[in-house]
Amino acid sequence: MKKLCIVALMGVVLFSCTPGTDKNKPADVDKNGVVETTTTTTQQNATVDNNPPSEGKPISISEDDFAKNVFDFRKGGKWKYKGDKPAIIDFYADWCGPCKMIAPFMKEFAATYKDQIYVYKVNTDNAQDLAMFYEINAIPAVMLCPIKGDYQMIVGANTKEHYESLIKSVLLK
């Protein structure tokens, strides 16, 4: 019975990560609690200064926002994080079931750690060059960006406790 449950769960996870037919459909940012940085002038200006708005919600960023606020992947070179506080970046897609499973965790982290870290979300369907640069072949992929040192990438859905322990040990140490 246990093996049957595991096999069934694996099937659901694999099936849920199959792209839907409407890839051009915009993200439902209200449902996911995501703040779009490119929707208002105030938010656009905030990203230019490398200081995204801190509203206690995940911040949805484009490839351009990533290049301004995190790392200019188009220029390449040695990794150096540009932010003024650590960041956790959720690479996701709207059609991905496991991505939907961890979205509430990211929303909670954005609220809990709003003064300590940035919580960014990158839709890989809209940021294919960025995803290719970081060789993101499976999602969700979560990037941890400490102020100093290299980033870490965690691929696949994990528990809230696992992500929180990483935030505390990697980003807030």
Side-chain angles (χ1 to χ4, degrees), residues 22-91:
D22 188 8
K23 286 186 180 179
N24 295 322
K25 181 182 172 192
D28 184 4
V29 295
D30 291 336
K31 181 175 80 176
N32 294 323
V34 176
V35 175
E36 285 288 342
T37 60
T38 56
T39 56
T40 66
T41 305
T42 304
Q43 290 171 331
Q44 284 177 349
N45 290 343
T47 60
V48 171
D49 297 334
N50 289 350
N51 294 312
S54 180
E55 299 180 21
K57 295 180 182 177
I59 304 165
S60 181
I61 60 172
S62 66
E63 289 180 333
D64 290 339
D65 295 328
F66 187 96
K68 285 182 220 166
N69 298 322
V70 180
F71 175 74
D72 193 345
F73 68 99
R74 293 177 181 126
K75 287 183 182 175
K78 185 171 172 21
W79 165 265
K80 181 169 182 349
Y81 175 58
K82 293 181 174 187
D84 58 355
K85 57 185 176 181
I88 185 168
I89 305 168
D90 177 14
F91 290 89

Side-chain angles (χ1 to χ4, degrees), residues 64-121:
D64 290 339
D65 295 328
F66 187 96
K68 285 182 220 166
N69 298 322
V70 180
F71 175 74
D72 193 345
F73 68 99
R74 293 177 181 126
K75 287 183 182 175
K78 185 171 172 21
W79 165 265
K80 181 169 182 349
Y81 175 58
K82 293 181 174 187
D84 58 355
K85 57 185 176 181
I88 185 168
I89 305 168
D90 177 14
F91 290 89
Y92 76 101
D94 293 328
W95 46 261
C96 171
C99 298
K100 291 176 185 178
M101 288 170 43
I102 72 164
F105 306 159
M106 297 303 151
K107 187 175 179 182
E108 187 174 327
F109 298 149
T112 302
Y113 299 105
K114 70 181 177 183
D115 297 326
Q116 298 171 290
I117 67 171
Y118 293 116
V119 178
Y120 293 126
K121 291 183 73 69

Side-chain angles (χ1 to χ4, degrees), residues 123-134:
N123 186 328
T124 56
D125 285 339
N126 301 330
Q128 294 180 1
D129 290 340
L130 180 59
M132 193 176 339
F133 180 84
Y134 286 103

